[in-house]
Amino acid sequence: MRIVNIISGKDFGGTKQAFLDYGALMTSLGHDVHYVLKPHAKALEYLQHIPSDHLHTQSYFRSTFQPVMQQSIHRLKRLLVSIRPHIIVAHKQIDLPLLKKAYPKARLIAVVHGFNARHISNADQIIAVSFAVKKFLSGHTSKPISCIPNSVQLEHFKAYQTLHNPITIGSMGVFRRKKQFETLFRACRILKSNHESFQVIIAGRGHRKYWLQCLIRLWGLHHHIKIIPWVKDKQCFFNLIDIYCITSRTESFNISLIEAMASQRCVIASDCGGPRDIILHNETGYLFPVGCAEVLASQLTDLIHHPHKITTLSAAGFKRVKTCFSSHALRSQLSELLKTD
């Protein structure tokens, strides 16, 4: 079956990673997959192995303003008519009305990565990346919704190594309010006041970077917390840490969480939606209430004092990813969905 896998936007993050993973998974299922991206998209760096006739770049405006929309539809139609897909898998909801009008012959599948119901009425089918997202979407549409979580290819990640001394905590993401890195900083203040030995490495970028750097100085955490640039090689980042921490106010899934578990790193996350689908509390990691630095600090202290728990939780997390979130485990789900009339 000929499938167009399309995403707009030029930066790189969890949604773009899922776009690449979907393409690889659909190809492994024997489908003829064509990738469509914006020119100069960062994801193109990861698609150099794709034959040139299956890799397409198309510039268009993501707008529902009618005069602009018509021009975008025309550009997409010209491309899609040349490919003649049976199915279009779209990872950005703002593209849905454009794609539906540009090529209505194809079955349009929307992969919804967040708590956003805009434009989903244009899709024929919907894939929610977590049960939290599916529950949200079910209140906004009668279209069929399948829950297929994001996945990882386990062979891309290495097994756990010796614990660092001191124990090193890691996090990554775009520096914006919803990520709430301040919660981790407040937890670090508590650890410092209790004279705990630890290090923190945060990888990312964003406009709040300088605010976070100010907090590090203001709270005297410059000997404990280091901010590094956005990482392309996540395995290298995971090699630097023992515990991976997510402090967000809301997450629909968070693919880096299962990548950390695939690398056999212990995980801690706020119970902000998606992570509740991933982590079994006290079995494969820890969950803490959103914004509660005191509970997070208590959990980190427990792991620092009992390093064997880090190893135990890491091993259990890896088994859960292998069973529930590996590409192999999700092949059958996606295969059946793509067969559906």
Side-chain angles (χ1 to χ4, degrees), residues 111-289:
V111 183
V112 179
H113 295 270
F115 299 105
N116 181 358
R118 291 187 66 192
H119 307 302
I120 59 174
S121 61
N122 293 279
D124 299 307
Q125 281 182 283
I126 300 167
I127 296 174
V129 297
S130 67
F131 286 106
V133 173
K134 181 178 180 179
K135 182 179 179 181
F136 168 80
L137 294 175
S138 62
H140 294 82
T141 183
S142 59
K143 296 291 179 71
I145 306 172
S146 302
C147 182
I148 302 181
N150 291 325
S151 63
V152 292
Q153 294 179 288
L154 290 177
E155 61 271 18
H156 292 176
F157 298 91
K158 297 179 182 178
Y160 197 78
Q161 304 296 321
T162 306
L163 293 174
H164 297 88
N165 185 20
I167 295 297
T168 303
I169 303 153
S171 190
M172 68 171 69
V174 178
F175 298 140
R176 54 188 180 190
R177 288 184 183 276
K178 87 160 204 171
K179 294 297 184 180
Q180 293 198 344
F181 287 105
E182 292 89 339
T183 301
L184 177 57
F185 285 23
R186 291 200 301 272
C188 289
R189 287 183 76 187
I190 297 171
L191 295 179
K192 180 189 173 188
S193 67
N194 293 336
H195 306 289
E196 302 294 352
S197 178
F198 69 96
Q199 291 291 325
V200 176
I201 302 174
I202 301 176
R205 61 168 178 259
H207 66 279
R208 288 177 65 82
K209 175 182 177 180
Y210 301 107
W211 165 244
L212 296 178
Q213 289 175 328
C214 287
L215 286 182
I216 290 171
R217 289 291 175 180
L218 183 65
W219 291 345
L221 296 170
H222 49 282
H223 293 304
H224 295 281
I225 300 177
K226 178 169 65 172
I227 295 178
I228 65 173
W230 189 270
V231 293
K232 288 186 178 180
D233 189 338
K234 291 183 181 179
Q235 183 61 64
C236 287
F237 176 77
F238 293 137
N239 288 343
L240 299 173
I241 68 173
D242 306 296
I243 301 168
Y244 186 66
C245 183
I246 297 292
T247 55
S248 303
R249 181 176 67 247
T250 178
E251 289 284 354
S252 57
F253 187 81
N254 197 296
I255 200 166
S256 67
L257 201 53
I258 58 172
E259 290 172 332
M261 294 165 74
S263 296
Q264 296 195 39
R265 268 52 183 178
C266 181
V267 293
I268 298 179
S270 56
D271 58 352
C272 59
R276 288 198 300 269
D277 284 0
I278 299 171
I279 298 174
L280 303 177
H281 183 57
N282 281 332
E283 295 181 33
T284 63
Y286 287 154
L287 293 168
F288 65 91

Side-chain angles (χ1 to χ4, degrees), residues 309-321:
K309 288 187 177 182
I310 297 177
T311 305
T312 301
L313 291 170
S314 299
F318 176 80
K319 289 180 181 178
R320 178 159 173 77
V321 168

Side-chain angles (χ1 to χ4, degrees), residues 183 186-187 190-191 288-289 291-301:
T183 301
R186 291 200 301 272
I190 297 171
L191 295 179
F288 65 91
C292 190
E294 293 76 16
V295 174
L296 174 58
S298 175
Q299 293 172 343
L300 291 171
T301 299

